[in-house]
Amino acid sequence: MPGVSLRDLFPVPSLMKARNVLVVQPHPDDAEWGAGATIAALTSSGAEVNYVTVTDGGWGSVDPEVDPSELARRRREEQAEAARVLGVSEMAWLDFPDGNVPTGADPALRSPLVRLIRSYKPDAVMGPDPWLPYEAHPDHYGTGFAVAAAVVLAGLEPPYRLPGLNAHSPAMLAMYNTSRPNTYVGVDAFWEKKLSAIAAHSSQFQGPVWEMGRLYLRAQAEELAARARALGKAGPGVTLVESFKVLTPLHLHCNTGAEEW
Ligand SMILES: [Zn+2]
């Protein structure tokens, strides 16, 4: 078929058309930080969004006296409030100890993720981009690789069989915290919801830390909006953008062009 490009054969799906989204995050607050405004936009357009948090978040402190299990309890409550702000339906917790996410798409993590994908049957799965250069937190790249593997493997029947959970292939994986975005979501109308959801994580974001965090997020969203406008991927009135690398399961296996798509 001369004249048909690979991009024509494997187009990137539209994230905002997803109606059932499963969001996977390494720690409480990661999804709000990387994708909170988009999640709010999705739920307010009627999409169902459910969360999977991989770890208990017990390492999220610089206080030498902190009790990690007490912190984990508090963070679960904070996450529930953040999810309520964003309109998230259900929260699943995998309860890996913070800092101990297996790396290399280990079955200990990808197996429960495959089962959750088969159970919720999302058309879009969100996870952190494991191919982010200079990402040094093993929980983040560990989670990202396991999510990408689970998106590919959930569509095959034999792996991790359980009664009633047949193969389900999501239409797309949308990776947040990415340096190679191909999807720009204008989020001006949902920015305050994102900030409220992050602020619900009061064990993490207080005083000067949160002040700096808000400045960082806004500067990042404004830069992404400028880039999206220059690419013709956002209208002139869009001033705040969250970005994603969106790929299909077909892009995610033996596809040498996926980096640029
Ligand atoms: Zn994290």
Side-chain angles (χ1 to χ4, degrees):
M1 279 198 297
V4 177
S5 74
L6 284 171
R7 283 169 195 253
D8 293 335
L9 286 172
F10 303 112
V12 172
S14 169
L15 173 58
M16 293 311 292
K17 288 190 179 150
R19 297 293 82 196
N20 181 347
V21 182
L22 188 62
V23 176
V24 186
Q25 60 178 357
H27 310 105
D29 81 37
D30 287 319
E32 285 82 41
W33 186 269
T38 301
I39 291 166
L42 283 162
T43 59
S44 66
S45 77
E48 177 181 332
V49 177
N50 297 294
Y51 262 40
V52 182
T53 305
V54 174
T55 74
D56 62 11
W59 281 11
S61 179
V62 293
D63 175 1
E65 304 294 322
V66 74
D67 174 355
S69 51
E70 178 55 39
L71 177 59
R73 271 193 294 280
R74 177 174 171 186
R75 296 198 70 185
R76 193 177 283 241
E77 290 171 13
E78 293 171 351
Q79 183 59 67
E81 173 60 13
R84 190 194 63 72
V85 169
L86 297 181
V88 172
S89 299
E90 292 182 13
M91 308 282 312
W93 293 81
L94 297 182
D95 284 328
F96 282 83
D98 201 342
N100 285 276
V101 172
T103 55
D106 191 287
L109 179 53
R110 66 176 141 94
S111 160
L113 290 174
V114 164
R115 292 187 177 125
L116 285 162
I117 289 170
R118 290 177 178 178
S119 171
Y120 283 106
K121 297 184 173 34
D123 44 13
V125 174
M126 276 191 198
D129 188 341
W131 294 279
L132 175 66
Y134 310 113
E135 173 56 71
H137 199 311
D139 287 351
H140 278 243
Y141 55 79
T143 297
F145 281 123
V147 173
V151 164
V152 171
L153 297 176
L156 306 173
E157 259 323 319
Y160 320 122
R161 245 180 203 149
L162 269 191
L165 294 184
N166 293 331
H168 172 77
S169 190
M172 71 190 95
L173 170 65
M175 289 172 273
Y176 55 87
N177 291 351
T178 187
S179 61
R180 289 199 173 265
N182 60 5
T183 296
Y184 300 85
V185 182
V187 292
D188 289 60
F190 299 97
W191 194 251
E192 288 306 317
K193 273 202 173 177
K194 175 187 176 95
L195 295 183
S196 298
I198 296 174
H201 298 277
S202 58
S203 68
Q204 308 297 299
F205 302 104
Q206 291 273 5
V209 170
W210 181 217
E211 198 58 39
M212 180 57 73
R214 289 157 66 108
L215 289 172
Y216 171 83
L217 285 169
R218 176 165 280 270
Q220 181 189 52
E222 287 175 348
E223 284 186 16
L224 286 167
R227 196 195 307 181
R229 290 194 305 268
L231 291 168
K233 293 188 172 186
V238 174
T239 68
L240 298 168
V241 156
E242 284 180 342
S243 66
F244 300 85
K245 177 77 165 187
V246 176
L247 295 173
T248 70
L250 283 173
H251 291 123
L252 287 163
H253 182 43
C254 295
N255 193 314
T256 56
E259 187 180 3
E260 300 300 328
W261 290 8

